[in-house]
Amino acid sequence: MIEVTQLRKSFGVHEILKGIDLTIRQGEIVVIIGPSGSGKSTLLRCLNCLELPTSGRVKVEGEKFADESGKYNEKRVARLRTEIGMVFQSFNLFPMMTSIQNVMAAQIKIRKKTAEAAKTNAEKYLKKVGLAERMNHYPSQLSGGQKQRVAIARALAMEPNIMLFDEATSALDPELVGEVLKVIRELADEGMTMVLVTHEMRFAEEIGDRIIFMDKGVIVEEGEPSELFNHPKHERTKRFINQVLHPESEKTLI
């Protein structure tokens, strides 16, 4: 579904991604973990060309974002991007639109659906994420978890083949995290191809087919969840997992 070859991304003199090679198969759930600043979110944004790579190649379903000359054609990028839904840490809802209007908007503008067809589809996906009773509510009338579920419904309504989640729960209060993770679990059960950046380690272990650990712009280690979490091979991976899952062991009595 996605093939990444020697992907590099720099912002000015700072190289964030340093030659990433990655293949994501159809129906696979890949979870990317790592410390802040390791390049996780930048990698995710390069997968759908929200950030243009400095060099390297990204292919979606066998088609490259850049043409043979290496140039990024706006129409080609826009077309391929419609195959990839993305859910951000911030909800990015239009505050003056209701839930259903937020879910309808991109369908009409990008997919060129009629208002009637977009509304029917929006109702379907809002029901799917458990918001049938909140369709006519504005974002200001919703909890953080409900807003994020509207954002997920909006992405799903575009009927993508791949879903990207960039820290989809990190802006939520702890008691609201579960309702968003429940929706992601259901998508996994349905066979949706997904790439998730998350700090929810237990959830990553539960849902992922493959875990990728990144640090300082490179993939340090990857493997099946049980293997990577319980028997990491790289010292940096061991240290990170120990710090995240067993923070009390890092404390020093003074």
Side-chain angles (χ1 to χ4, degrees):
M1 294 292 279
I2 299 178
E3 184 182 346
V4 177
T5 307
Q6 279 301 293
L7 179 67
R8 294 179 180 272
K9 177 62 182 177
S10 297
F11 295 99
V13 297
H14 301 289
E15 189 175 37
I16 307 302
L17 300 178
K18 304 173 183 178
I20 300 291
D21 292 306
L22 176 64
T23 299
I24 296 161
R25 299 179 294 275
Q26 184 173 0
E28 189 177 25
I29 301 166
V30 175
V31 184
I32 304 174
I33 64 172
S36 297
S38 59
K40 307 184 300 296
S41 292
T42 300
L43 172 58
L44 209 66
R45 292 172 68 87
C46 284
L47 295 184
N48 67 350
C49 269
L50 283 178
E51 296 288 354
L52 296 182
T54 302
S55 65
R57 184 184 71 193
V58 178
K59 293 172 70 175
V60 177
E61 296 183 311
E63 189 170 353
K64 290 182 283 189
F65 273 103
D67 61 24
E68 294 305 319
S69 67
K71 293 182 179 178
Y72 288 87
N73 178 277
E74 188 175 322
K75 289 185 178 179
R76 180 197 288 245
V77 170
R79 177 172 52 80
L80 287 175
R81 197 179 282 155
T82 61
E83 302 302 320
I84 306 175
M86 187 159 183
V87 178
F88 301 88
Q89 178 178 337
S90 54
F91 319 120
N92 296 329
L93 301 179
F94 296 111
M96 301 307 293
M97 290 185 180
T98 62
S99 299
I100 196 165
Q101 289 169 339
N102 266 284
V103 179
M104 290 172 61
Q107 296 182 68
I108 294 170
K109 183 175 178 61
I110 297 171
R111 290 291 194 191
K112 307 302 181 185
K113 289 189 175 183
T114 64
E116 183 179 358
K119 183 179 180 182
T120 298
N121 212 35
E123 289 173 346
K124 170 185 172 183
Y125 285 104
L126 284 167
K127 288 176 182 175
K128 183 180 183 67
V129 299
L131 291 176
E133 305 301 319
R134 294 289 187 270
M135 290 187 187
N136 296 311
H137 286 58
Y138 290 92
S140 62
Q141 299 171 307
L142 302 174
S143 70
Q146 290 169 340
K147 291 176 188 175
Q148 193 61 292
R149 283 186 283 156
V150 173
I152 294 173
R154 178 179 57 190
L156 291 175
M158 297 295 285
E159 299 180 332
N161 293 324
I162 303 159
M163 285 287 290
L164 310 178
F165 292 88
D166 188 11
E167 297 285 8
T169 61
S170 63
L172 302 179
D173 292 332
E175 65 268 23
L176 301 177
V177 169
E179 62 190 62
V180 174
L181 297 185
K182 179 176 180 289
V183 174
I184 297 175
R185 280 191 191 93
E186 290 170 355
L187 293 176
D189 291 341
E190 293 168 7
M192 172 69 77
T193 304
M194 293 192 286
V195 186
L196 301 92
V197 169
T198 185
H199 282 105
E200 301 282 343
M201 294 298 108
R202 296 302 184 192
F203 180 69
E205 186 174 8
E206 171 194 334
I207 199 172
D209 295 313
R210 182 162 39 122
I211 308 295
I212 290 174
F213 173 66
M214 287 185 65
D215 190 27
K216 297 180 180 178
V218 300
I219 294 176
V220 176
E221 186 172 347
E222 60 181 291
E224 294 182 0
S226 60
E227 186 66 23
L228 189 135
F229 281 111
N230 297 316
H231 308 288
K233 296 179 175 62
H234 197 283
E235 189 58 39
R236 181 65 185 95
T237 315
K238 293 178 185 177
R239 194 162 67 248
F240 174 79
I241 291 172
N242 195 50
Q243 288 171 343
V244 173
L245 296 184
H246 309 289
E248 66 281 355
S249 67
E250 296 296 314
K251 295 177 182 178
T252 302
L253 294 177
I254 298 176

